[in-house]
Amino acid sequence: QVTLKESGPGILQPSQTLSLTCSFSGFSLSTSGMGVGWIRQPSGKGLEWLAHIWWDDDKRYNPALKSRLTISKDTSSNQVFLKIASVDTADTATYYCAHYDYDAYAMDYWGQGTSVTVSS
Amino acid sequence: DVVMTQTPLSLPVSLGDQASISCRSSQSLVHSNGNTYLHWYLQKPGQSPKLLIYKVSNRFSGVPDRFSGSGSGTDFTLKISRVEAEDLGVYFCSQSTHVPPFTFGSGTKLEIK
């Protein structure tokens, strides 16, 4: 059973770095074909894909945000991390992590999301 | 980036009705490997999105057979044969053929008439 759970600071100030953690179970990121990514959703709005990382450490970023994003993984602890530098109010959103199926190339299991507010 | 356009934005239905949602992409979603990476998600109120359909027409595990997906190239459709109360929420289409970035449609809200 694949499960994912996001955690984050809840609130932070403009210009700070947002650090998010995705803790998962039911699969291993050392297994071929496995991937985890991050997607965000401002309240009442649509979905924006941010980044994902594959079992072989291949990393992909949204070009619009690439300069501010860093994704990494700790296979031994079943965690994936996302850092977003220099946040501003536009980064206020619910952040989801999701498991990727390599064959379908779709996000097949999602976490419950963690709400992040950027405010001074 | 591939732009995904969904219609309608809102779809009022009666329980038991058939519902149909359209998704159009700004370029063909046929990958060089022959696959078409067009997917559908449902986000119920207060929940995270759930995968319904992947690669145009494949139902994800546990998805009822009243959900079906079809289409090709740039035009795709999600059909719900007999809407039930548990089907209400926002439906998103998404493409993963031309990445990065993965892109999503703006969503279609299925609601009771």
Side-chain angles (χ1 to χ4, degrees), chain A residues 41 47 49 52 61-63 96 100 103-111, chain B residues 37 39 41 43 48-49 51 54-55 60 92 96 99-102 104:
Chain A
Q41 183 176 38
L47 299 163
W49 173 78
H52 73 241
Y61 295 101
N62 188 321
Y96 299 101
Y100 280 72
D103 178 58
Y105 216 48
M107 304 161 215
D108 55 358
Y109 295 95
W110 296 57
Chain B
Y37 296 102
H39 322 297
Y41 297 87
Q43 185 174 32
S48 57
L51 179 65
Y54 62 95
K55 290 197 292 187
F60 186 57
F92 294 96
S96 55
V99 293
F102 293 74
F104 295 87

PDB file of all heavy atoms in Angstrom, chain A residues 41 47 49 52 61-63 96 100 103-111, chain B residues 37 39 41 43 48-49 51 54-55 60 92 96 99-102 104:
ATOM      1  N   GLN A  41      -0.869  23.823  -5.228  1.00  0.00           N
ATOM      2  CA  GLN A  41      -2.192  24.307  -5.602  1.00  0.00           C
ATOM      3  C   GLN A  41      -2.565  25.481  -4.704  1.00  0.00           C
ATOM      4  O   GLN A  41      -2.893  25.274  -3.523  1.00  0.00           O
ATOM      5  CB  GLN A  41      -3.227  23.185  -5.478  1.00  0.00           C
ATOM      6  CG  GLN A  41      -4.622  23.559  -5.920  1.00  0.00           C
ATOM      7  CD  GLN A  41      -5.566  22.384  -5.857  1.00  0.00           C
ATOM      8  OE1 GLN A  41      -5.500  21.553  -4.947  1.00  0.00           O
ATOM      9  NE2 GLN A  41      -6.458  22.287  -6.843  1.00  0.00           N
ATOM     10  N   LEU A  47      -3.616  23.215 -10.493  1.00  0.00           N
ATOM     11  CA  LEU A  47      -2.427  22.467 -10.084  1.00  0.00           C
ATOM     12  C   LEU A  47      -1.213  22.904 -10.894  1.00  0.00           C
ATOM     13  O   LEU A  47      -1.285  23.090 -12.106  1.00  0.00           O
ATOM     14  CB  LEU A  47      -2.666  20.974 -10.304  1.00  0.00           C
ATOM     15  CG  LEU A  47      -3.835  20.381  -9.510  1.00  0.00           C
ATOM     16  CD1 LEU A  47      -4.255  19.040 -10.099  1.00  0.00           C
ATOM     17  CD2 LEU A  47      -3.438  20.203  -8.046  1.00  0.00           C
ATOM     18  N   TRP A  49       2.779  21.684 -11.471  1.00  0.00           N
ATOM     19  CA  TRP A  49       3.852  20.728 -11.227  1.00  0.00           C
ATOM     20  C   TRP A  49       5.149  21.481 -10.973  1.00  0.00           C
ATOM     21  O   TRP A  49       5.475  22.445 -11.677  1.00  0.00           O
ATOM     22  CB  TRP A  49       4.000  19.811 -12.436  1.00  0.00           C
ATOM     23  CG  TRP A  49       5.190  18.911 -12.340  1.00  0.00           C
ATOM     24  CD1 TRP A  49       5.303  17.777 -11.598  1.00  0.00           C
ATOM     25  CD2 TRP A  49       6.450  19.095 -12.991  1.00  0.00           C
ATOM     26  NE1 TRP A  49       6.563  17.228 -11.772  1.00  0.00           N
ATOM     27  CE2 TRP A  49       7.280  18.021 -12.613  1.00  0.00           C
ATOM     28  CE3 TRP A  49       6.961  20.059 -13.861  1.00  0.00           C
ATOM     29  CZ2 TRP A  49       8.585  17.879 -13.064  1.00  0.00           C
ATOM     30  CZ3 TRP A  49       8.251  19.917 -14.325  1.00  0.00           C
ATOM     31  CH2 TRP A  49       9.059  18.847 -13.915  1.00  0.00           C
ATOM     32  N   HIS A  52      10.287  16.561 -10.038  1.00  0.00           N
ATOM     33  CA  HIS A  52      10.259  15.180  -9.588  1.00  0.00           C
ATOM     34  C   HIS A  52      11.644  14.575  -9.672  1.00  0.00           C
ATOM     35  O   HIS A  52      12.541  15.101 -10.345  1.00  0.00           O
ATOM     36  CB  HIS A  52       9.214  14.346 -10.326  1.00  0.00           C
ATOM     37  CG  HIS A  52       9.545  14.005 -11.743  1.00  0.00           C
ATOM     38  ND1 HIS A  52       8.755  14.405 -12.784  1.00  0.00           N
ATOM     39  CD2 HIS A  52      10.545  13.268 -12.299  1.00  0.00           C
ATOM     40  CE1 HIS A  52       9.259  13.944 -13.920  1.00  0.00           C
ATOM     41  NE2 HIS A  52      10.348  13.253 -13.658  1.00  0.00           N
ATOM     42  N   TYR A  61      12.770  19.660 -13.346  1.00  0.00           N
ATOM     43  CA  TYR A  61      12.193  20.840 -12.716  1.00  0.00           C
ATOM     44  C   TYR A  61      11.288  21.590 -13.683  1.00  0.00           C
ATOM     45  O   TYR A  61      11.491  21.575 -14.897  1.00  0.00           O
ATOM     46  CB  TYR A  61      13.315  21.789 -12.279  1.00  0.00           C
ATOM     47  CG  TYR A  61      14.224  21.244 -11.198  1.00  0.00           C
ATOM     48  CD1 TYR A  61      15.474  20.727 -11.499  1.00  0.00           C
ATOM     49  CD2 TYR A  61      13.818  21.258  -9.866  1.00  0.00           C
ATOM     50  CE1 TYR A  61      16.307  20.236 -10.508  1.00  0.00           C
ATOM     51  CE2 TYR A  61      14.641  20.779  -8.862  1.00  0.00           C
ATOM     52  CZ  TYR A  61      15.885  20.267  -9.194  1.00  0.00           C
ATOM     53  OH  TYR A  61      16.708  19.774  -8.200  1.00  0.00           O
ATOM     54  N   ASN A  62      10.328  22.294 -13.106  1.00  0.00           N
ATOM     55  CA  ASN A  62       9.513  23.204 -13.893  1.00  0.00           C
ATOM     56  C   ASN A  62      10.420  24.353 -14.347  1.00  0.00           C
ATOM     57  O   ASN A  62      10.979  25.065 -13.506  1.00  0.00           O
ATOM     58  CB  ASN A  62       8.355  23.729 -13.054  1.00  0.00           C
ATOM     59  CG  ASN A  62       7.362  24.531 -13.869  1.00  0.00           C
ATOM     60  OD1 ASN A  62       7.744  25.295 -14.746  1.00  0.00           O
ATOM     61  ND2 ASN A  62       6.087  24.363 -13.568  1.00  0.00           N
ATOM     62  N   PRO A  63      10.577  24.535 -15.658  1.00  0.00           N
ATOM     63  CA  PRO A  63      11.496  25.586 -16.132  1.00  0.00           C
ATOM     64  C   PRO A  63      11.192  26.972 -15.572  1.00  0.00           C
ATOM     65  O   PRO A  63      12.101  27.778 -15.375  1.00  0.00           O
ATOM     66  CB  PRO A  63      11.294  25.548 -17.655  1.00  0.00           C
ATOM     67  CG  PRO A  63      10.834  24.155 -17.934  1.00  0.00           C
ATOM     68  CD  PRO A  63       9.980  23.779 -16.755  1.00  0.00           C
ATOM     69  N   TYR A  96       1.688  19.243  -2.515  1.00  0.00           N
ATOM     70  CA  TYR A  96       1.485  17.797  -2.533  1.00  0.00           C
ATOM     71  C   TYR A  96       2.737  17.090  -3.047  1.00  0.00           C
ATOM     72  O   TYR A  96       3.406  17.587  -3.950  1.00  0.00           O
ATOM     73  CB  TYR A  96       0.345  17.415  -3.482  1.00  0.00           C
ATOM     74  CG  TYR A  96      -1.015  17.977  -3.141  1.00  0.00           C
ATOM     75  CD1 TYR A  96      -1.524  19.088  -3.811  1.00  0.00           C
ATOM     76  CD2 TYR A  96      -1.818  17.365  -2.178  1.00  0.00           C
ATOM     77  CE1 TYR A  96      -2.784  19.595  -3.525  1.00  0.00           C
ATOM     78  CE2 TYR A  96      -3.077  17.860  -1.887  1.00  0.00           C
ATOM     79  CZ  TYR A  96      -3.555  18.975  -2.557  1.00  0.00           C
ATOM     80  OH  TYR A  96      -4.803  19.463  -2.266  1.00  0.00           O
ATOM     81  N   TYR A 100       5.195   8.531  -8.709  1.00  0.00           N
ATOM     82  CA  TYR A 100       5.103   8.400 -10.155  1.00  0.00           C
ATOM     83  C   TYR A 100       5.210   6.938 -10.568  1.00  0.00           C
ATOM     84  O   TYR A 100       6.065   6.194 -10.080  1.00  0.00           O
ATOM     85  CB  TYR A 100       6.256   9.146 -10.832  1.00  0.00           C
ATOM     86  CG  TYR A 100       6.044  10.614 -10.947  1.00  0.00           C
ATOM     87  CD1 TYR A 100       6.120  11.423  -9.827  1.00  0.00           C
ATOM     88  CD2 TYR A 100       5.782  11.200 -12.180  1.00  0.00           C
ATOM     89  CE1 TYR A 100       5.940  12.793  -9.935  1.00  0.00           C
ATOM     90  CE2 TYR A 100       5.608  12.572 -12.285  1.00  0.00           C
ATOM     91  CZ  TYR A 100       5.686  13.354 -11.160  1.00  0.00           C
ATOM     92  OH  TYR A 100       5.504  14.713 -11.267  1.00  0.00           O
ATOM     93  N   ASP A 103       5.761   3.559 -16.046  1.00  0.00           N
ATOM     94  CA  ASP A 103       5.127   3.069 -17.269  1.00  0.00           C
ATOM     95  C   ASP A 103       4.004   3.994 -17.712  1.00  0.00           C
ATOM     96  O   ASP A 103       3.907   4.373 -18.872  1.00  0.00           O
ATOM     97  CB  ASP A 103       4.579   1.661 -17.044  1.00  0.00           C
ATOM     98  CG  ASP A 103       3.871   1.127 -18.281  1.00  0.00           C
ATOM     99  OD1 ASP A 103       4.524   1.055 -19.341  1.00  0.00           O
ATOM    100  OD2 ASP A 103       2.682   0.803 -18.195  1.00  0.00           O
ATOM    101  N   ALA A 104       3.155   4.358 -16.754  1.00  0.00           N
ATOM    102  CA  ALA A 104       2.048   5.257 -17.077  1.00  0.00           C
ATOM    103  C   ALA A 104       2.512   6.695 -17.221  1.00  0.00           C
ATOM    104  O   ALA A 104       1.858   7.511 -17.880  1.00  0.00           O
ATOM    105  CB  ALA A 104       0.976   5.183 -15.997  1.00  0.00           C
ATOM    106  N   TYR A 105       3.656   7.002 -16.599  1.00  0.00           N
ATOM    107  CA  TYR A 105       4.197   8.353 -16.516  1.00  0.00           C
ATOM    108  C   TYR A 105       3.128   9.294 -15.961  1.00  0.00           C
ATOM    109  O   TYR A 105       2.932  10.408 -16.459  1.00  0.00           O
ATOM    110  CB  TYR A 105       4.717   8.825 -17.871  1.00  0.00           C
ATOM    111  CG  TYR A 105       5.959   9.676 -17.751  1.00  0.00           C
ATOM    112  CD1 TYR A 105       7.025   9.271 -16.951  1.00  0.00           C
ATOM    113  CD2 TYR A 105       6.084  10.893 -18.418  1.00  0.00           C
ATOM    114  CE1 TYR A 105       8.158  10.047 -16.819  1.00  0.00           C
ATOM    115  CE2 TYR A 105       7.220  11.678 -18.297  1.00  0.00           C
ATOM    116  CZ  TYR A 105       8.256  11.250 -17.506  1.00  0.00           C
ATOM    117  OH  TYR A 105       9.374  12.018 -17.390  1.00  0.00           O
ATOM    118  N   ALA A 106       2.470   8.797 -14.917  1.00  0.00           N
ATOM    119  CA  ALA A 106       1.409   9.551 -14.255  1.00  0.00           C
ATOM    120  C   ALA A 106       1.658   9.539 -12.754  1.00  0.00           C
ATOM    121  O   ALA A 106       2.359   8.670 -12.225  1.00  0.00           O
ATOM    122  CB  ALA A 106       0.045   8.930 -14.560  1.00  0.00           C
ATOM    123  N   MET A 107       1.043  10.503 -12.082  1.00  0.00           N
ATOM    124  CA  MET A 107       1.156  10.590 -10.622  1.00  0.00           C
ATOM    125  C   MET A 107       0.024   9.753 -10.054  1.00  0.00           C
ATOM    126  O   MET A 107      -1.133  10.198 -10.067  1.00  0.00           O
ATOM    127  CB  MET A 107       1.041  12.054 -10.183  1.00  0.00           C
ATOM    128  CG  MET A 107       2.074  12.926 -10.878  1.00  0.00           C
ATOM    129  SD  MET A 107       1.639  14.671 -10.832  1.00  0.00           S
ATOM    130  CE  MET A 107       2.253  15.238 -12.412  1.00  0.00           C
ATOM    131  N   ASP A 108       0.310   8.559  -9.599  1.00  0.00           N
ATOM    132  CA  ASP A 108      -0.760   7.636  -9.277  1.00  0.00           C
ATOM    133  C   ASP A 108      -1.174   7.632  -7.812  1.00  0.00           C
ATOM    134  O   ASP A 108      -2.295   7.220  -7.509  1.00  0.00           O
ATOM    135  CB  ASP A 108      -0.431   6.223  -9.772  1.00  0.00           C
ATOM    136  CG  ASP A 108       0.893   5.693  -9.265  1.00  0.00           C
ATOM    137  OD1 ASP A 108       1.601   6.437  -8.537  1.00  0.00           O
ATOM    138  OD2 ASP A 108       1.233   4.542  -9.603  1.00  0.00           O
ATOM    139  N   TYR A 109      -0.325   8.055  -6.923  1.00  0.00           N
ATOM    140  CA  TYR A 109      -0.705   8.180  -5.516  1.00  0.00           C
ATOM    141  C   TYR A 109      -0.226   9.539  -5.003  1.00  0.00           C
ATOM    142  O   TYR A 109       0.924   9.913  -5.245  1.00  0.00           O
ATOM    143  CB  TYR A 109      -0.085   7.063  -4.665  1.00  0.00           C
ATOM    144  CG  TYR A 109      -0.590   5.691  -5.017  1.00  0.00           C
ATOM    145  CD1 TYR A 109       0.108   4.876  -5.897  1.00  0.00           C
ATOM    146  CD2 TYR A 109      -1.777   5.214  -4.479  1.00  0.00           C
ATOM    147  CE1 TYR A 109      -0.356   3.626  -6.229  1.00  0.00           C
ATOM    148  CE2 TYR A 109      -2.251   3.943  -4.810  1.00  0.00           C
ATOM    149  CZ  TYR A 109      -1.541   3.167  -5.689  1.00  0.00           C
ATOM    150  OH  TYR A 109      -2.002   1.926  -6.024  1.00  0.00           O
ATOM    151  N   TRP A 110      -1.114  10.228  -4.280  1.00  0.00           N
ATOM    152  CA  TRP A 110      -0.809  11.564  -3.775  1.00  0.00           C
ATOM    153  C   TRP A 110      -0.897  11.580  -2.248  1.00  0.00           C
ATOM    154  O   TRP A 110      -1.679  10.857  -1.652  1.00  0.00           O
ATOM    155  CB  TRP A 110      -1.825  12.578  -4.318  1.00  0.00           C
ATOM    156  CG  TRP A 110      -1.808  12.777  -5.803  1.00  0.00           C
ATOM    157  CD1 TRP A 110      -1.977  11.809  -6.776  1.00  0.00           C
ATOM    158  CD2 TRP A 110      -1.648  14.007  -6.495  1.00  0.00           C
ATOM    159  NE1 TRP A 110      -1.925  12.387  -8.014  1.00  0.00           N
ATOM    160  CE2 TRP A 110      -1.732  13.734  -7.880  1.00  0.00           C
ATOM    161  CE3 TRP A 110      -1.454  15.330  -6.081  1.00  0.00           C
ATOM    162  CZ2 TRP A 110      -1.617  14.733  -8.851  1.00  0.00           C
ATOM    163  CZ3 TRP A 110      -1.346  16.325  -7.045  1.00  0.00           C
ATOM    164  CH2 TRP A 110      -1.430  16.020  -8.412  1.00  0.00           C
ATOM    165  N   GLY A 111      -0.097  12.456  -1.658  1.00  0.00           N
ATOM    166  CA  GLY A 111      -0.236  12.701  -0.242  1.00  0.00           C
ATOM    167  C   GLY A 111      -1.430  13.602   0.025  1.00  0.00           C
ATOM    168  O   GLY A 111      -2.103  14.070  -0.897  1.00  0.00           O
TER     169      GLY A 111
ATOM    170  N   TYR B  37       0.289  10.247 -23.428  1.00  0.00           N
ATOM    171  CA  TYR B  37       0.305  10.402 -21.982  1.00  0.00           C
ATOM    172  C   TYR B  37      -0.680  11.488 -21.541  1.00  0.00           C
ATOM    173  O   TYR B  37      -0.300  12.589 -21.120  1.00  0.00           O
ATOM    174  CB  TYR B  37       1.721  10.698 -21.501  1.00  0.00           C
ATOM    175  CG  TYR B  37       2.673   9.545 -21.769  1.00  0.00           C
ATOM    176  CD1 TYR B  37       3.570   9.579 -22.841  1.00  0.00           C
ATOM    177  CD2 TYR B  37       2.657   8.415 -20.942  1.00  0.00           C
ATOM    178  CE1 TYR B  37       4.427   8.512 -23.083  1.00  0.00           C
ATOM    179  CE2 TYR B  37       3.515   7.352 -21.185  1.00  0.00           C
ATOM    180  CZ  TYR B  37       4.395   7.408 -22.255  1.00  0.00           C
ATOM    181  OH  TYR B  37       5.234   6.351 -22.498  1.00  0.00           O
ATOM    182  N   HIS B  39      -3.901  11.996 -18.931  1.00  0.00           N
ATOM    183  CA  HIS B  39      -4.447  11.398 -17.723  1.00  0.00           C
ATOM    184  C   HIS B  39      -5.573  12.264 -17.162  1.00  0.00           C
ATOM    185  O   HIS B  39      -5.645  13.470 -17.424  1.00  0.00           O
ATOM    186  CB  HIS B  39      -3.346  11.248 -16.663  1.00  0.00           C
ATOM    187  CG  HIS B  39      -2.019  10.850 -17.216  1.00  0.00           C
ATOM    188  ND1 HIS B  39      -1.802   9.649 -17.868  1.00  0.00           N
ATOM    189  CD2 HIS B  39      -0.824  11.501 -17.240  1.00  0.00           C
ATOM    190  CE1 HIS B  39      -0.542   9.575 -18.258  1.00  0.00           C
ATOM    191  NE2 HIS B  39       0.077  10.689 -17.889  1.00  0.00           N
ATOM    192  N   TYR B  41      -7.716  13.175 -13.445  1.00  0.00           N
ATOM    193  CA  TYR B  41      -7.721  13.125 -11.990  1.00  0.00           C
ATOM    194  C   TYR B  41      -9.031  13.705 -11.468  1.00  0.00           C
ATOM    195  O   TYR B  41      -9.620  14.591 -12.098  1.00  0.00           O
ATOM    196  CB  TYR B  41      -6.566  13.958 -11.412  1.00  0.00           C
ATOM    197  CG  TYR B  41      -5.192  13.461 -11.781  1.00  0.00           C
ATOM    198  CD1 TYR B  41      -4.583  13.869 -12.972  1.00  0.00           C
ATOM    199  CD2 TYR B  41      -4.504  12.579 -10.952  1.00  0.00           C
ATOM    200  CE1 TYR B  41      -3.321  13.406 -13.323  1.00  0.00           C
ATOM    201  CE2 TYR B  41      -3.231  12.118 -11.300  1.00  0.00           C
ATOM    202  CZ  TYR B  41      -2.655  12.532 -12.481  1.00  0.00           C
ATOM    203  OH  TYR B  41      -1.413  12.076 -12.823  1.00  0.00           O
ATOM    204  N   GLN B  43     -10.479  15.530  -7.944  1.00  0.00           N
ATOM    205  CA  GLN B  43     -10.190  16.088  -6.627  1.00  0.00           C
ATOM    206  C   GLN B  43     -11.522  16.378  -5.937  1.00  0.00           C
ATOM    207  O   GLN B  43     -12.254  17.300  -6.303  1.00  0.00           O
ATOM    208  CB  GLN B  43      -9.358  17.366  -6.728  1.00  0.00           C
ATOM    209  CG  GLN B  43      -8.937  17.907  -5.375  1.00  0.00           C
ATOM    210  CD  GLN B  43      -7.982  19.086  -5.486  1.00  0.00           C
ATOM    211  OE1 GLN B  43      -8.026  19.881  -6.420  1.00  0.00           O
ATOM    212  NE2 GLN B  43      -7.076  19.214  -4.511  1.00  0.00           N
ATOM    213  N   SER B  48      -6.921  15.495  -1.722  1.00  0.00           N
ATOM    214  CA  SER B  48      -5.917  15.594  -2.775  1.00  0.00           C
ATOM    215  C   SER B  48      -6.445  14.925  -4.047  1.00  0.00           C
ATOM    216  O   SER B  48      -7.395  14.141  -3.998  1.00  0.00           O
ATOM    217  CB  SER B  48      -4.626  14.897  -2.323  1.00  0.00           C
ATOM    218  OG  SER B  48      -4.879  13.546  -1.993  1.00  0.00           O
ATOM    219  N   PRO B  49      -5.887  15.267  -5.200  1.00  0.00           N
ATOM    220  CA  PRO B  49      -6.311  14.636  -6.445  1.00  0.00           C
ATOM    221  C   PRO B  49      -6.069  13.122  -6.412  1.00  0.00           C
ATOM    222  O   PRO B  49      -5.133  12.647  -5.766  1.00  0.00           O
ATOM    223  CB  PRO B  49      -5.429  15.308  -7.502  1.00  0.00           C
ATOM    224  CG  PRO B  49      -5.052  16.621  -6.901  1.00  0.00           C
ATOM    225  CD  PRO B  49      -4.907  16.346  -5.442  1.00  0.00           C
ATOM    226  N   LEU B  51      -5.880   9.709  -9.130  1.00  0.00           N
ATOM    227  CA  LEU B  51      -5.799   9.283 -10.526  1.00  0.00           C
ATOM    228  C   LEU B  51      -7.005   8.417 -10.876  1.00  0.00           C
ATOM    229  O   LEU B  51      -7.312   7.456 -10.184  1.00  0.00           O
ATOM    230  CB  LEU B  51      -4.500   8.521 -10.756  1.00  0.00           C
ATOM    231  CG  LEU B  51      -4.270   7.978 -12.162  1.00  0.00           C
ATOM    232  CD1 LEU B  51      -4.132   9.131 -13.167  1.00  0.00           C
ATOM    233  CD2 LEU B  51      -3.021   7.084 -12.198  1.00  0.00           C
ATOM    234  N   TYR B  54      -5.366   6.756 -16.885  1.00  0.00           N
ATOM    235  CA  TYR B  54      -4.030   7.088 -17.381  1.00  0.00           C
ATOM    236  C   TYR B  54      -3.877   6.639 -18.824  1.00  0.00           C
ATOM    237  O   TYR B  54      -4.562   5.713 -19.264  1.00  0.00           O
ATOM    238  CB  TYR B  54      -2.938   6.480 -16.491  1.00  0.00           C
ATOM    239  CG  TYR B  54      -2.931   4.975 -16.428  1.00  0.00           C
ATOM    240  CD1 TYR B  54      -2.114   4.228 -17.272  1.00  0.00           C
ATOM    241  CD2 TYR B  54      -3.733   4.291 -15.515  1.00  0.00           C
ATOM    242  CE1 TYR B  54      -2.098   2.848 -17.222  1.00  0.00           C
ATOM    243  CE2 TYR B  54      -3.723   2.911 -15.451  1.00  0.00           C
ATOM    244  CZ  TYR B  54      -2.907   2.193 -16.302  1.00  0.00           C
ATOM    245  OH  TYR B  54      -2.890   0.816 -16.249  1.00  0.00           O
ATOM    246  N   LYS B  55      -3.016   7.291 -19.516  1.00  0.00           N
ATOM    247  CA  LYS B  55      -2.793   7.031 -20.952  1.00  0.00           C
ATOM    248  C   LYS B  55      -4.107   6.893 -21.699  1.00  0.00           C
ATOM    249  O   LYS B  55      -4.402   5.864 -22.314  1.00  0.00           O
ATOM    250  CB  LYS B  55      -1.889   5.808 -21.139  1.00  0.00           C
ATOM    251  CG  LYS B  55      -0.456   6.076 -20.697  1.00  0.00           C
ATOM    252  CD  LYS B  55       0.545   5.069 -21.218  1.00  0.00           C
ATOM    253  CE  LYS B  55       0.385   3.699 -20.647  1.00  0.00           C
ATOM    254  NZ  LYS B  55       1.480   2.775 -21.059  1.00  0.00           N
ATOM    255  N   PHE B  60      -7.445   3.407 -13.569  1.00  0.00           N
ATOM    256  CA  PHE B  60      -6.526   3.092 -12.485  1.00  0.00           C
ATOM    257  C   PHE B  60      -7.193   2.099 -11.537  1.00  0.00           C
ATOM    258  O   PHE B  60      -8.424   1.948 -11.517  1.00  0.00           O
ATOM    259  CB  PHE B  60      -6.127   4.380 -11.751  1.00  0.00           C
ATOM    260  CG  PHE B  60      -5.062   4.187 -10.702  1.00  0.00           C
ATOM    261  CD1 PHE B  60      -3.830   3.633 -11.040  1.00  0.00           C
ATOM    262  CD2 PHE B  60      -5.273   4.553  -9.387  1.00  0.00           C
ATOM    263  CE1 PHE B  60      -2.842   3.445 -10.089  1.00  0.00           C
ATOM    264  CE2 PHE B  60      -4.300   4.391  -8.414  1.00  0.00           C
ATOM    265  CZ  PHE B  60      -3.083   3.819  -8.764  1.00  0.00           C
ATOM    266  N   PHE B  92      -9.530  17.120 -13.405  1.00  0.00           N
ATOM    267  CA  PHE B  92      -8.400  17.730 -14.115  1.00  0.00           C
ATOM    268  C   PHE B  92      -7.865  16.746 -15.159  1.00  0.00           C
ATOM    269  O   PHE B  92      -7.702  15.561 -14.861  1.00  0.00           O
ATOM    270  CB  PHE B  92      -7.244  18.040 -13.161  1.00  0.00           C
ATOM    271  CG  PHE B  92      -7.528  19.082 -12.133  1.00  0.00           C
ATOM    272  CD1 PHE B  92      -7.938  18.722 -10.854  1.00  0.00           C
ATOM    273  CD2 PHE B  92      -7.358  20.421 -12.414  1.00  0.00           C
ATOM    274  CE1 PHE B  92      -8.187  19.680  -9.882  1.00  0.00           C
ATOM    275  CE2 PHE B  92      -7.602  21.395 -11.451  1.00  0.00           C
ATOM    276  CZ  PHE B  92      -8.022  21.019 -10.180  1.00  0.00           C
ATOM    277  N   SER B  96       1.737  14.278 -19.845  1.00  0.00           N
ATOM    278  CA  SER B  96       3.135  14.053 -19.496  1.00  0.00           C
ATOM    279  C   SER B  96       3.921  13.575 -20.723  1.00  0.00           C
ATOM    280  O   SER B  96       4.929  12.893 -20.591  1.00  0.00           O
ATOM    281  CB  SER B  96       3.257  13.049 -18.343  1.00  0.00           C
ATOM    282  OG  SER B  96       2.587  11.843 -18.635  1.00  0.00           O
ATOM    283  N   VAL B  99       7.429  16.972 -21.585  1.00  0.00           N
ATOM    284  CA  VAL B  99       7.854  17.418 -20.252  1.00  0.00           C
ATOM    285  C   VAL B  99       9.365  17.641 -20.241  1.00  0.00           C
ATOM    286  O   VAL B  99      10.083  17.040 -21.041  1.00  0.00           O
ATOM    287  CB  VAL B  99       7.478  16.373 -19.179  1.00  0.00           C
ATOM    288  CG1 VAL B  99       5.971  16.266 -19.031  1.00  0.00           C
ATOM    289  CG2 VAL B  99       8.068  15.011 -19.519  1.00  0.00           C
ATOM    290  N   PRO B 100       9.858  18.468 -19.336  1.00  0.00           N
ATOM    291  CA  PRO B 100       9.057  19.302 -18.418  1.00  0.00           C
ATOM    292  C   PRO B 100       8.513  20.549 -19.112  1.00  0.00           C
ATOM    293  O   PRO B 100       9.049  20.958 -20.129  1.00  0.00           O
ATOM    294  CB  PRO B 100      10.090  19.689 -17.353  1.00  0.00           C
ATOM    295  CG  PRO B 100      11.401  19.683 -18.072  1.00  0.00           C
ATOM    296  CD  PRO B 100      11.311  18.619 -19.127  1.00  0.00           C
ATOM    297  N   PRO B 101       7.424  21.113 -18.545  1.00  0.00           N
ATOM    298  CA  PRO B 101       6.757  20.666 -17.336  1.00  0.00           C
ATOM    299  C   PRO B 101       5.555  19.769 -17.623  1.00  0.00           C
ATOM    300  O   PRO B 101       4.975  19.838 -18.707  1.00  0.00           O
ATOM    301  CB  PRO B 101       6.268  21.992 -16.742  1.00  0.00           C
ATOM    302  CG  PRO B 101       5.919  22.808 -17.957  1.00  0.00           C
ATOM    303  CD  PRO B 101       6.920  22.410 -19.021  1.00  0.00           C
ATOM    304  N   PHE B 102       5.191  18.938 -16.653  1.00  0.00           N
ATOM    305  CA  PHE B 102       3.878  18.302 -16.682  1.00  0.00           C
ATOM    306  C   PHE B 102       2.876  19.449 -16.573  1.00  0.00           C
ATOM    307  O   PHE B 102       3.089  20.381 -15.805  1.00  0.00           O
ATOM    308  CB  PHE B 102       3.695  17.391 -15.467  1.00  0.00           C
ATOM    309  CG  PHE B 102       4.596  16.195 -15.454  1.00  0.00           C
ATOM    310  CD1 PHE B 102       5.945  16.326 -15.168  1.00  0.00           C
ATOM    311  CD2 PHE B 102       4.106  14.928 -15.706  1.00  0.00           C
ATOM    312  CE1 PHE B 102       6.789  15.229 -15.146  1.00  0.00           C
ATOM    313  CE2 PHE B 102       4.933  13.814 -15.683  1.00  0.00           C
ATOM    314  CZ  PHE B 102       6.279  13.966 -15.397  1.00  0.00           C
ATOM    315  N   PHE B 104      -1.434  20.734 -16.414  1.00  0.00           N
ATOM    316  CA  PHE B 104      -2.789  20.351 -16.060  1.00  0.00           C
ATOM    317  C   PHE B 104      -3.783  21.306 -16.710  1.00  0.00           C
ATOM    318  O   PHE B 104      -3.474  22.475 -16.949  1.00  0.00           O
ATOM    319  CB  PHE B 104      -2.990  20.437 -14.546  1.00  0.00           C
ATOM    320  CG  PHE B 104      -2.157  19.478 -13.739  1.00  0.00           C
ATOM    321  CD1 PHE B 104      -0.869  19.833 -13.350  1.00  0.00           C
ATOM    322  CD2 PHE B 104      -2.654  18.239 -13.359  1.00  0.00           C
ATOM    323  CE1 PHE B 104      -0.090  18.972 -12.603  1.00  0.00           C
ATOM    324  CE2 PHE B 104      -1.890  17.368 -12.611  1.00  0.00           C
ATOM    325  CZ  PHE B 104      -0.606  17.730 -12.234  1.00  0.00           C
TER     326      PHE B 104
END
